[in-house]
Structure formats: structure tokens, C-alpha cells
Amino acid sequence: MAGPIIRILGQVAVMAAGIFGKAFVTAYQQAIHQAKSGGPQAAEAAAKAAGISKNTMNRGQARMILNLEKEECTPQSIQKQYDRYFKSNAVENGGSFYIQSKVYRAKEILDAHMLEKERDAK
């Protein structure tokens, strides 16, 4: 009785070792390829050149957070929506600090864009 169970467990162990071995070899090959192509620094530099950053939101996301359409995006409407959502998500009122910080970042990004538009208009 113990013979077939041990054989099955042995086959499972051999199969698992093969799967992990293949995964290790693939990961090693990817690491070598990244090292040859400049590694993570090159990928980060390419993302910055393309205007992509994984830690910042874009203007579309900022408008979505503040519930603004592109046409109605004025400094007054940004401030109005910011005040509304920042107060309603205050921790003292049972809101979320995370959402409040997203609202703050959205306003920050849209304000920076408005300043950029004003400088370009001059």
C-alpha cells in the first residue's frame, strides 16, 4: 500500500523540481538580458522620456478623481471640486485619508497644468 503512494509522491516531487528549474532558468535569462540592455535604469529612463511614471497620475486621472470634464477644467472649478471632496473625505468625518491624498494630488497636478497653460499663453 505504501509503495504506490511513495511512487506518486516521488513523481510529484520530480515534476515540481522540473517546473521550478524551468522558472529559475527563465528568470536568470531575463536578468541577463536586462543587464545587457541597461537594466532597470534604462527602462526607467525610457519611461521618463515617454512621460510615463508609475508613481504619478496623469491629467485625465486627476480630472476623473475631481469629477471634471476637460472643457470645464478652470482654476475655480478645480478649487470648488477639491474643497468638496477634500472635506467630505476628511478622517474626522469618517472619510479615508488615502482618498483625501488622491484628491490633493489630483488638484496639485491640475494646478500645475493650469500654470503651464498660462505660461504658454504669454
Side-chain angles (χ1 to χ4, degrees):
M1 178 82 175
I5 293 174
I6 292 174
R7 186 172 24 132
I8 292 172
L9 289 175
Q11 288 174 345
V12 169
V14 168
M15 193 179 345
I19 291 171
F20 285 119
K22 283 183 183 178
F24 179 78
V25 169
T26 303
Y28 185 73
Q29 287 173 343
Q30 287 177 350
I32 289 174
H33 177 70
Q34 270 191 346
K36 286 180 181 177
S37 65
Q41 293 83 8
E44 190 174 323
K48 279 187 179 178
I52 301 169
S53 176
K54 60 184 174 184
N55 294 331
T56 60
M57 68 177 76
N58 60 37
R59 289 189 301 264
Q61 292 169 329
R63 282 193 308 271
M64 196 181 305
I65 288 171
L66 291 178
N67 197 25
L68 292 168
E69 295 295 323
K70 192 172 188 176
E71 303 80 35
E72 64 184 8
C73 209
T74 64
Q76 295 81 15
S77 63
I78 293 170
Q79 186 63 45
K80 179 182 173 192
Q81 291 296 86
Y82 167 77
D83 291 339
R84 175 181 174 199
Y85 291 125
F86 195 81
K87 287 177 187 173
S88 64
N89 285 296
V91 177
E92 299 82 33
N93 299 335
S96 165
F97 178 74
Y98 175 77
I99 294 175
Q100 201 177 32
S101 68
K102 289 293 182 183
V103 169
Y104 179 81
R105 293 293 170 216
K107 180 186 182 299
E108 189 176 56
I109 288 169
L110 291 176
D111 284 343
H113 177 65
M114 288 295 149
L115 285 174
E116 197 175 293
K117 273 176 67 174
E118 285 177 15
R119 272 190 249 131
D120 290 345
K122 290 182 180 180

